[in-house]
């Protein structure tokens, strides 16, 4: 008798509490799995918690991370294990037993109230590793101000009691009796079905590069140290000063590629991918802190701003902010005086140059540390030659061990958006493996807070955020708080360092109860990222979430009036006064609940679309895949091999086969979307198929419509038979061996139609494709002369190996700029003559070639606007779909229930497209697993007694959310369809009878805010 296979376990172990681990945990927890989140430090947050701001959005890093931290901390399906190390994983995919080592905190987390008395009384100072040892902390400490969990810990390696048995001051003064020196290390086992590894990266240590003086010259700092210098919670409270004398620098230099793109044994040959962008960000933020007169210079080899929106930020830094970009690798840094530094480098012309700076920032790269390598060894995970987890281009988040998934920098250098995408992709992989065990391990629903009994008179609480220096650096928040206390019906007002932090959320809940508050106003950053967080907090205290009002005193005030502190403070008072006036008239609003259709629609059958379809189908959701072509595969059919050498065709065929035979996937070939009606959870799409129109009901949509190469009108393309674009050259030489045999020279021109005013974005994948092609034909015919004409070689990440290989093979690289674009003319023998200005020789050079290949821009397909209008989602200026948030919601749209992946989002490689397709599946699954969902009840309401049935509202509504209906005895009257309503208010604004009002934005509420008058002292 064959023993039945045991069912999988419906829980997942996530290792690493950075943004990757956080996103994977949330996606899995929201999809119905119990998550054990393991972090070796005392709190989660990872590297992102150390950063000051993120670009290109200019958001404060902690401002956008804090809501995620709070959500993880309060999620009923997530168990956080801090000061915890994974020791081993036994078993097989679906049924693992993980052994965890829990190190003692010496503070009882259940008792600790995070008052900080232990740290205040602790006499032992310790270098603060979180602040890159630029200042000290105590042996009793909390990792950072917004830490989750916000619980103190005692550093046994430095604690006086553990050294000599004396002191115990923390224990003596702790008001909660939370100090517990008797705690011991414990071993714990947890049963899980899958593992997600997100251990992050280690910043390169430049102390052994003697010529740069790090560690001996006080004003030479790393980029990580500079982030902490800029941070409001950092060692200098956000004041830009140099470490040596705490004076403000007037000239700062950034040196790129420190520890990266370097073949020495103490460095890494790969590009770390993120350094160029964060150096630009730091230069811009430094100018915000110090003023436009601050002189900033970035020394670089190639400026690699290849992400979405990054090139535009680079251009703004050069053209608007005055950041200087100097193409040079710095030879050395020497002390000019006690506090100033002499930077020596060589110009393009070969001349040595010296320049003196007040501060030098070393842009250090990423590496995998010894602890992570040891973890991989324990878990039997294969690593590549650079120490990153070995993955496969068609399985980019799958490790060598079945059931163990990876994301973020552990699988190769990544920026934040790509890390978040891969985290969701890893969640999709784990969820697909454990689909039959969904909801089997999560705890039963707990009863929420009892609704508070509200008094008739408004009692308003006002919470004003410092947001570090983001607000308090401009606005006098204490004056705003004092003013708020004078406003009518304000029963409580206070300030907080970070109002979005976990401890402040608890304080808000307590203040509501203690002060019998029935309205809450938060004056802070932006409702775009934080309104839902505060609404959930007051709901936990028993208030209706719509008894909340947000005053945006950061984006709409402090950020735009940085040089006008007095006026900004007055404006902050105005904004708070208006918010309080509106809050007095707020009313509870009941949620709207709708059922969810479990089917999904994927538009586009390329690599990304198929990846999304498989990710959804593997989790048990019926998926309809709409493809306008006769075959699946999209642009991937044109690709010969992945950037790391895997043949694409057989892998793509295997993927197509999986899609074609999957019982939960229905493919509609030669089909197009004609219309999309409905709303999140309940869409109805009309699809034109060869068999006729089909009406498909589904709960979620994934957009994977792809893109295509730009066809230029320059460089003789279209008029000369030997000028080609992208893969056309490879196809020609592969199909005609005689053409290669007779060829003596090939040239490639990069950035054709991209990185130009009409298309300012970098197309990301062009340099890699050119390097692959150049290597292929140079290898096939070593005596072939191969030229690459480029502006910046953007072989980011481990793709740098291709650049190194091409140079070693003898491929000739010639740089050009927009002012000296190459010239191409037909040769008399049927070939081509290329002329380009060489910046090293400072003269034009001319050479003949047999073939010219153009790396042209990747552009959005025609008709994208029509689909965007159907789905009610936005596009960028260059026609790609615009995600909800570039960092934290890179596959979501602002329109609920609609997701994006692949080239439809932005140009990317096959492995990145597949990962984003899986990520879209994970995000869609968090919706589709629910039987019902609550939607925002901020909708229009119609007063039938005032309505005259003119129909102007119906004609004005872009969402079909209002229509005329016949009412007995009254004729036609307007009716709101709440599930379709987006709360835009156009119908209310257009109604000539003022018969339509908006919940939460009623006429009297808006008028109260507008008409609020200042009281004495404003």
């Amino acid at each position: 008798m064959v023993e039945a296979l045991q069912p999988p376990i419906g829980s997942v172990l996530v290792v690493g509490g950075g943004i990757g681990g956080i996103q994977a945990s949330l996606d899995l927890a929201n999809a119905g799995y119990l998550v054990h989140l393991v972090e070796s430090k005392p709190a989660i947050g990872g590297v992102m918690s150390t950063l000051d701001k993120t670009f290109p959005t200019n958001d404060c890093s902690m401002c956008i991370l804090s809501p995620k931290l709070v959500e993880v901390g309060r999620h009923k399906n997530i168990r956080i294990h801090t000061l915890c190390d994974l020791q081993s994983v036994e078993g097989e995919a679906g049924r693992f037993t993980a052994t965890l080592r829990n190190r003692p905190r010496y503070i009882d987390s259940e008792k600790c109230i995070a008052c900080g008395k232990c740290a205040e009384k602790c006499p032992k100072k310790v270098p603060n590793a979180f602040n890159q040892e630029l200042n000290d902390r105590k042996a009793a400490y909390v990792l950072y101000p917004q830490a989750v969990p916000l619980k103190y810990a005692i550093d046994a390696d430095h604690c006086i009691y553990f050294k000599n048995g004396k002191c115990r001051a923390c224990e003596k003064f702790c008001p909660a009796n939370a100090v517990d020196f008797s705690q011991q290390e414990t071993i714990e086992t947890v049963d899980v079905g899958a593992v997600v590894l997100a251990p992050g990266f280690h910043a390169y240590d430049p102390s052994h590069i003697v010529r740069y003086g790090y560690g001996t010259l006080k004003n030479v700092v790393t980029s990580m140290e500079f982030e902490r210098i800029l941070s409001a919670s950092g060692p200098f409270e956000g004041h830009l000063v140099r470490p040596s004398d705490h004076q403000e620098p007037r000239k700062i230099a950034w040196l790129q590629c420190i520890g990266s793109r370097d073949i020495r044994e103490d460095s890494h040959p790969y590009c770390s991918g993120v350094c160029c962008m964060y150096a630009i960000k730091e230069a811009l933020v430094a100018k915000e802190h110090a003023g436009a007169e601050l002189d900033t210079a970035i020394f670089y080899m190639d400026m690699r701003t290849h992400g979405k929106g990054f090139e535009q930020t680079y251009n703004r830094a050069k053209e608007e902010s005055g950041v200087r970009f100097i193409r040079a690798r710095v030879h050395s840094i020497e002390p000019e005086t006690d506090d100033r530094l002499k930077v020596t480098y060589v110009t393009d012309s070969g001349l040595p140059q010296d320049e003196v700076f007040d501060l030098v920032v070393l842009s250090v790269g990423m590496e995998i540390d010894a602890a992570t390598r040891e973890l991989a060894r324990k878990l039997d995970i294969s690593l590549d030659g650079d120490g990153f987890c070995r993955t496969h281009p068609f399985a980019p988040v799958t490790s060598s061990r079945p059931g163990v998934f990876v994301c973020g920098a552990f699988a190769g250098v990544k920026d934040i958006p790509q890390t978040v995408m891969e985290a969701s992709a890893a969640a999709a992989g784990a969820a697909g493996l454990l689909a039959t065990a969904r909801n089997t391990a999560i705890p039963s629903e707990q009863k929420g807070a009892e609704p508070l009994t509200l008094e008739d008179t408004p009692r308003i609480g006002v919470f004003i955020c410092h947001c570090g220096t983001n607000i308090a650096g401009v606005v006098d928040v204490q004056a705003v708080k004092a003013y708020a206390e004078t406003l009518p019906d304000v029963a409580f007002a206070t300030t907080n360092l970070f109002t979005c932090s976990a401890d402040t959320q608890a304080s808000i809940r307590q203040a509501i109860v203690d002060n019998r508050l029935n309205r809450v106003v938060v004056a802070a950053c932006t409702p775009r990222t934080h309104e839902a967080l505060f609404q959930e907090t007051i709901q936990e205290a028993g208030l209706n979430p719509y008894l909340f009002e947000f005053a945006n005193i950061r984006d709409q005030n402090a950020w735009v009036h940085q040089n006008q502190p007095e006026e900004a403070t007055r404006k902050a008072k105005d904004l708070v006064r208006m918010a309080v006036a509106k809050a007095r008239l707020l009313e509870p609003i009941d949620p709207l609940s709708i059922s969810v259709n479990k089917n999904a629609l994927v538009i586009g059958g390329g690599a990304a679309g198929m990846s999304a379809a498989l990710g959804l189908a593997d989790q048990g959701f019926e998926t309809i895949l709409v493809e306008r072509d006769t075959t699946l595969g999209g642009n991937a059919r044109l690709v010969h091999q992945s950037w790391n050498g895997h043949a694409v065709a057989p892998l793509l065929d295997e993927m197509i086969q999986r899609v074609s035979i999957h019982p939960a996937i229905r493919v509609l070939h030669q089909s197009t979307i004609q219309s999309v009606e409905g709303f999140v959870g309940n869409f109805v799409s009309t699809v034109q198929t060869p068999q006729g129109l089909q009406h498909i009901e589904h709960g979620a949509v994934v957009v994977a419509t792809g893109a295509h190469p730009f066809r230029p009108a320059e460089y003789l393309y279209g008029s000369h038979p030997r000028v080609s674009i992208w893969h056309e050259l490879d196809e020609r030489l592969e199909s005609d061996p005689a053409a290669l045999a007779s060829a003596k020279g090939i040239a490639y021109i990069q950035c054709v139609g991209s990185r130009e005013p009409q298309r300012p974005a970098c197309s990301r994948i062009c340099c890699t494709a050119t390097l692959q092609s150049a290597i292929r034909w140079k290898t096939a015919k070593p005596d072939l002369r191969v030229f690459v004409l480029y502006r910046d070689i953007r072989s980011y990440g481990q793709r740098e190996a291709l650049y190194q290989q091409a140079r070693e093979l003898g491929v000739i690289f010639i740089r050009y700029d927009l002012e000296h674009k190459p010239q191409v003319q037909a040769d008399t023998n049927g070939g081509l003559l290329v002329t380009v200005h060489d910046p090293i020789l400072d003269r034009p050079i001319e050479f003949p070639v047999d073939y010219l290949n153009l790396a042209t821009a990747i552009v959005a397909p025609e008709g994208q606007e029509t689909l965007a209008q159907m789905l009610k989602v936005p596009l960028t200026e260059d026609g790609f779909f615009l995600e909800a948030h570039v960092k934290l919601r890179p596959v979501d749209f602002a329109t609920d229930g609609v997701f994006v992946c692949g080239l439809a989002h932005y140009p990317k490689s096959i492995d990145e497209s597949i990962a984003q397709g899986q990520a879209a599946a994970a995000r869609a699954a968090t919706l589709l697993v629910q039987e019902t969902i609550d939607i925002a009840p901020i909708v229009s309401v119609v007063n039938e007694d005032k309505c005259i049935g003119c129909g102007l509202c119906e004609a004005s509504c872009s969402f079909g959310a209002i229509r005329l209906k016949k009412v007995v005895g009254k004729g036609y009257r307007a009716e709101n369809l709440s599930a379709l309503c987006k709360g835009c208010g156009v119908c209310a604004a257009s109604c000539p009878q003022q018969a339509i009002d908006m919940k939460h934005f009623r006429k009297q509420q808006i008028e109260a805010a507008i008409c609020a008058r200042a009281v004495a002292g404003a």
Side-chain angles (χ1 to χ4, degrees):
M1 181 176 178
V2 179
E3 184 179 350
L5 292 175
Q6 290 183 296
I9 298 169
S11 60
V12 180
L13 180 71
V14 177
V15 181
I19 186 60
I22 288 170
Q23 185 64 50
S25 297
L26 288 172
D27 284 339
L28 286 162
N30 289 329
Y33 299 95
L34 179 65
V35 176
H36 294 276
L37 176 57
V38 172
E39 169 56 50
S40 62
K41 293 185 174 62
I44 62 175
V47 171
M48 193 170 172
S49 66
T50 71
L51 304 181
D52 179 55
K53 287 185 179 179
T54 62
F55 267 65
T57 60
N58 200 36
D59 284 320
C60 164
S61 291
M62 279 310 304
C63 284
I64 61 175
L65 180 61
S66 280
K68 294 276 189 183
L69 292 173
V70 174
E71 187 179 357
V72 168
R74 63 172 38 149
H75 204 295
K76 65 183 180 64
N77 294 351
I78 298 177
R79 305 285 180 268
I80 300 177
H81 304 257
T82 52
L83 287 171
C84 182
D85 303 306
L86 176 61
Q87 295 295 98
S88 65
V89 173
E90 306 295 334
E92 58 186 20
R95 298 189 68 84
F96 290 118
T97 297
T99 301
L100 309 177
R101 178 172 71 102
N102 297 295
R103 288 172 280 124
R105 185 181 287 267
Y106 302 112
I107 299 284
D108 188 329
S109 295
E110 297 297 323
K111 294 181 180 179
C112 179
I113 58 175
C115 65
K117 190 65 72 174
C118 57
E120 177 187 335
K121 299 299 182 181
C122 177
K124 180 63 177 178
K125 290 185 177 180
V126 180
N128 188 345
F130 183 80
N131 277 337
Q132 302 292 305
E133 300 189 357
L134 291 170
N135 68 344
D136 293 333
R137 61 161 170 82
K138 298 294 186 68
Y141 70 106
V142 67
L143 191 62
Y144 59 96
Q146 304 102 308
V148 172
L150 191 67
K151 305 294 181 181
Y152 277 74
I154 294 176
D155 183 349
D157 291 337
H158 297 91
C159 173
I160 295 174
Y161 170 72
F162 284 106
K163 291 294 184 183
N164 57 26
K166 297 180 180 179
C167 187
R168 300 177 76 127
C170 54
E171 183 182 48
K172 183 187 306 182
F173 290 99
C174 177
N177 296 317
V179 177
D180 182 3
F181 287 110
S182 68
Q183 287 184 359
Q184 299 291 320
E185 179 180 296
T186 61
I187 300 297
E188 174 187 7
T189 61
V190 293
D191 294 327
V192 296
V195 179
V196 175
L197 298 179
F201 68 90
H202 180 75
Y204 176 79
D205 179 7
S207 58
H208 51 266
I209 305 180
V210 178
R211 66 184 184 277
Y212 291 153
Y214 178 74
T216 59
L217 300 175
K218 290 185 177 179
N219 292 329
V220 176
V221 300
T222 69
S223 46
M224 297 295 289
E225 290 170 343
F226 193 73
E227 290 284 348
R228 299 312 301 152
I229 290 172
L230 293 174
S231 176
S233 61
F236 310 125
E237 299 181 339
H239 299 295
L240 177 53
V241 297
R242 56 188 184 183
S244 66
D245 57 3
H246 292 193
Q247 296 298 306
E248 295 183 0
R250 306 316 307 158
K251 287 185 69 175
I252 306 177
W254 279 260
L255 275 56
Q256 300 307 103
C257 302
I258 305 301
S260 302
R261 301 187 68 188
D262 194 330
I263 60 175
R264 297 186 313 164
E265 289 185 1
D266 57 4
S267 298
H268 302 290
Y270 55 82
C271 162
S272 287
V274 301
C275 320
C276 287
M277 196 60 207
Y278 73 55
I280 295 173
K281 176 206 74 170
E282 289 176 351
L284 291 173
V285 174
K287 281 181 171 287
E288 289 180 7
H289 283 250
E293 65 275 9
L294 176 68
D295 186 355
T296 55
I298 297 178
F299 293 85
Y300 72 102
M301 293 193 294
D302 292 284
M303 189 50 56
R304 293 182 170 174
T305 50
H306 49 268
K308 190 173 185 178
F310 290 2
E311 184 75 9
Q312 291 89 326
T313 302
Y314 172 37
N315 291 335
R316 286 197 298 273
K318 286 189 297 184
E319 298 162 8
E320 299 175 19
S321 299
V323 178
R324 292 189 291 133
F325 291 85
I326 303 170
R327 191 184 293 267
R329 189 133 195 185
V330 170
H331 173 270
S332 60
I333 302 172
E334 298 175 349
E336 173 73 8
T337 64
D338 288 343
D339 297 306
R340 305 198 76 200
L341 303 164
K342 183 174 72 174
V343 172
T344 301
Y345 62 97
V346 177
T347 65
D348 271 350
S349 61
L351 297 175
Q353 183 80 33
D354 292 337
E355 190 168 352
V356 177
F357 293 89
D358 300 314
L359 185 67
V360 173
V361 182
L362 304 181
S363 294
V364 295
M366 301 181 184
E367 63 182 8
I368 300 300
D369 62 10
T372 303
R373 290 173 186 257
E374 176 61 18
L375 175 65
R377 187 193 65 78
K378 289 179 180 178
L379 271 57
D380 194 24
I381 302 296
S382 296
L383 303 180
D384 63 22
D386 293 318
F388 298 108
C389 181
R390 193 181 301 278
T391 59
H392 192 279
F394 275 65
V397 295
T398 302
S399 77
S400 59
R401 184 173 179 181
V404 178
F405 303 90
V406 297
C407 64
F410 180 46
V413 293
K414 304 287 188 316
D415 60 5
I416 293 172
Q418 189 66 26
T419 294
V420 173
M421 287 178 201
E422 286 193 357
S424 292
L433 174 66
L434 308 178
T436 58
R438 184 187 296 126
N439 294 322
T440 59
I442 61 174
S444 58
E445 288 284 342
Q446 297 180 348
K447 189 176 181 181
E450 290 291 335
L452 295 176
T453 302
L454 302 180
E455 300 179 18
D456 292 336
T457 303
R459 293 183 59 81
I460 303 171
V462 180
F463 300 85
I464 303 165
C465 187
H466 284 247
C467 201
T469 56
N470 275 300
I471 294 173
V474 179
V475 174
D476 185 343
V477 293
Q478 291 298 330
V480 177
K481 177 239 180 187
Y483 174 68
E485 292 174 329
T486 70
L487 297 173
D489 297 322
V490 172
F492 176 80
T494 189
T495 63
N496 311 101
L497 180 59
F498 295 103
T499 309
C500 57
S501 65
D503 62 317
T504 305
Q505 301 307 296
S507 299
I508 292 174
R509 292 194 294 269
Q510 193 61 47
I512 290 171
V513 175
D514 293 345
N515 298 280
R516 307 188 317 280
L517 304 179
N518 53 27
R519 307 285 191 281
V520 170
V521 171
V522 169
C525 49
T526 169
R528 182 172 62 91
T529 54
H530 287 65
E531 184 172 45
L533 169 68
F534 294 120
Q535 287 179 325
E536 187 175 347
T537 295
I538 71 169
Q539 189 173 25
E540 289 178 346
L543 287 184
N544 184 281
Y546 294 95
L547 295 172
F548 169 81
E549 184 63 19
F550 211 120
N552 188 337
I553 63 171
R554 186 193 70 174
D555 301 40
Q556 297 174 357
N557 186 28
W559 277 2
V560 292
H561 304 296
Q562 292 182 17
N563 300 318
Q564 302 166 286
E566 293 183 6
E567 292 87 343
T569 299
R570 285 200 298 271
K571 183 176 178 179
K573 293 177 181 179
D574 290 341
L575 291 169
V576 170
R577 182 175 69 252
M578 294 170 70
V580 168
K582 181 184 174 186
R584 296 177 71 243
L585 300 177
L586 293 177
E587 57 192 6
I589 307 176
D590 294 329
L592 296 173
S593 183
I594 58 173
S595 61
V596 175
N597 184 299
K598 301 292 187 179
N599 296 342
L601 178 72
V602 178
I603 306 173
M610 289 192 292
S611 174
L614 287 167
L616 286 161
D618 285 346
Q619 294 183 66
F621 303 111
E622 296 290 332
T623 303
I624 299 90
L625 179 58
V626 177
E627 169 55 46
R628 63 183 175 184
D629 206 345
T630 57
T631 58
L632 299 173
N635 287 302
R637 287 192 169 278
L638 304 174
V639 181
H640 175 71
Q641 64 179 18
S642 68
W643 71 266
N644 50 3
H646 291 269
V648 168
L651 298 171
L652 185 64
D653 289 342
E654 180 184 343
M655 188 181 217
I656 293 171
Q657 178 67 8
R658 285 182 59 206
V659 169
S660 301
I661 66 174
H662 202 297
I665 299 177
R666 179 158 60 100
V667 181
L668 302 178
H669 292 287
Q670 295 179 275
S671 300
T672 55
I673 305 296
Q674 299 299 302
S675 67
V676 181
E677 306 293 337
F679 44 88
V680 56
N682 292 269
F683 294 103
V684 178
S685 295
T686 301
V687 182
Q688 179 67 61
T689 72
Q691 294 75 37
L693 292 177
Q694 292 191 27
H695 301 285
I696 299 170
E697 297 180 353
H698 51 99
V701 185
V702 176
V703 180
T705 49
H708 60 81
F710 170 67
R711 297 189 176 277
E714 58 183 335
Y715 301 125
L716 303 183
Y717 181 75
S719 62
H720 195 289
R722 295 193 178 190
V723 180
S724 57
I725 64 171
W726 281 89
H727 305 290
E728 292 175 351
L729 175 64
D730 291 352
E731 291 171 359
R732 176 168 185 169
L733 297 182
E734 187 173 7
S735 62
D736 184 6
L740 177 63
S742 62
K744 296 181 179 179
I746 297 175
Y748 300 82
I749 300 179
Q750 303 304 105
C751 301
V752 178
S754 60
R755 298 184 66 197
E756 296 185 353
Q758 64 272 31
R759 292 178 204 84
C762 164
S763 291
R764 188 176 176 89
I765 56 177
C766 325
C767 286
T768 301
T770 289
L771 290 171
Q772 287 180 288
S773 180
I775 289 169
R776 182 182 184 186
W777 303 121
K778 185 67 173 175
T779 302
K781 188 177 182 181
D783 62 344
L784 183 70
R785 294 200 305 164
V786 180
F787 302 87
V788 176
L789 280 53
Y790 72 101
R791 292 175 60 192
D792 292 279
I793 290 293
R794 293 185 169 174
S795 49
Y796 58 94
Q798 291 173 284
R799 293 160 175 81
E800 181 71 7
L802 295 172
Y803 187 24
Q804 294 173 7
Q805 183 184 359
R807 294 175 68 92
E808 290 169 359
L809 287 171
V811 175
I812 300 169
F813 291 85
I814 304 172
R815 180 163 46 88
Y816 76 91
D817 55 41
L818 283 180
E819 289 71 37
H820 302 90
K821 293 178 69 172
Q823 302 296 315
V824 179
Q825 62 190 66
D827 204 347
T828 54
N829 61 4
L832 299 156
L833 197 62
V834 178
T835 305
V836 62
H837 184 274
D838 188 314
I840 305 298
L841 301 176
D842 194 25
R843 60 183 288 265
I845 59 175
E846 186 178 86
F847 53 88
V849 294
D850 297 282
Y851 298 97
L852 173 65
N853 198 61
L854 309 177
T856 64
I858 301 295
V859 296
E862 296 179 3
Q864 199 102 294
E865 299 86 352
T866 302
L867 181 60
Q869 290 171 2
M870 291 180 192
L871 295 169
K872 302 174 180 63
V873 296
L875 299 172
T876 61
E877 292 180 356
D878 45 8
F880 294 102
F881 285 99
L882 179 63
E883 66 275 34
H885 192 283
V886 65
K887 299 290 184 183
L888 297 187
R889 297 179 66 193
V891 298
D892 298 47
F893 282 111
T895 300
D896 292 335
V898 187
F899 308 89
V900 65
C901 60
L903 298 182
H905 168 256
Y906 188 69
K908 50 180 61 69
S909 60
I910 288 177
D911 54 330
E912 292 169 340
S913 292
I914 289 173
Q916 196 176 15
Q918 292 175 301
R923 300 294 299 145
T926 62
L927 162 67
L928 299 178
V929 296
Q930 303 178 65
E931 297 300 325
T932 62
I933 56 171
D934 291 338
I935 61 173
I938 302 176
V939 298
S940 62
V941 289
V942 179
N943 184 335
E944 286 189 0
D945 293 334
K946 288 186 176 182
C947 179
I948 59 174
C950 67
L952 189 56
C953 55
E954 183 179 31
S956 302
C957 181
S958 300
F959 305 99
I962 199 160
R963 67 184 180 189
L964 294 182
K965 67 173 183 178
K966 196 161 188 178
V967 179
V968 177
K970 294 184 178 181
Y972 285 96
R973 294 293 182 265
E975 174 189 34
N976 173 267
L977 305 176
S978 297
L980 291 174
C981 183
K982 302 299 179 184
C984 66
V986 170
C987 58
S990 64
C991 180
Q993 298 298 112
Q994 297 187 7
I996 303 178
D997 214 347
M998 299 298 304
K999 291 183 179 180
H1000 201 62
F1001 293 92
R1002 292 187 181 277
K1003 180 183 176 184
Q1004 63 268 32
Q1005 295 168 348
I1006 300 295
E1007 288 179 344
I1010 293 173
C1011 298
R1013 291 291 183 263
V1015 297

